Amino acid sequence: MTDAMHIILDETAMAAVGKGNVLASRLIHRAHAEPGWHLYAPACALVEADRARPGTAEHLAALPGITVLDLDLSASVAVARQPSWGPAHCQHAAQPTPDRPDGAIVATTDPQRWHGHPVRVLDLTP
């Protein structure tokens, strides 16, 4: 295990940022201010968040502590097999990679939606 924290924002967490969710704001602050904290916005989830709350994509992409994850070939294959692209891209991004050997945690305001999925969840419900 590494000391780094890797956190994936799902579309509910992204929308919560725009609504002033204090827990989401703390994650953004830590990712910007503390070494070893990494916050990711998968592109497909970012699109879904922006559809639900217009302006979310531009807002999150402008924040210095957030890395937008592109839809590369392996993510495209994983997403194509699922009915909803946002959660599928988040789940794919949370899996271990050479950059994130321990995988990542999915931050959400709807933890029940991840029940039965192979991801660790961080509940941002206030």
Side-chain angles (χ1 to χ4, degrees), residues 81-105:
R81 296 180 181 147
Q82 301 299 321
S84 183
W85 287 20
H89 198 183
C90 290
Q91 181 175 325
H92 173 76
Q95 301 310 306
T97 66
D99 293 338
R100 297 182 297 276
D102 299 323
I105 300 166

Side-chain angles (χ1 to χ4, degrees), residues 85-126:
W85 287 20
H89 198 183
C90 290
Q91 181 175 325
H92 173 76
Q95 301 310 306
T97 66
D99 293 338
R100 297 182 297 276
D102 299 323
I105 300 166
V106 175
T108 184
T109 61
D110 185 9
Q112 287 301 99
R113 79 181 308 189
W114 294 103
H115 182 72
H117 293 276
V119 296
R120 295 173 290 160
V121 172
L122 175 62
D123 186 356
L124 298 181
T125 306

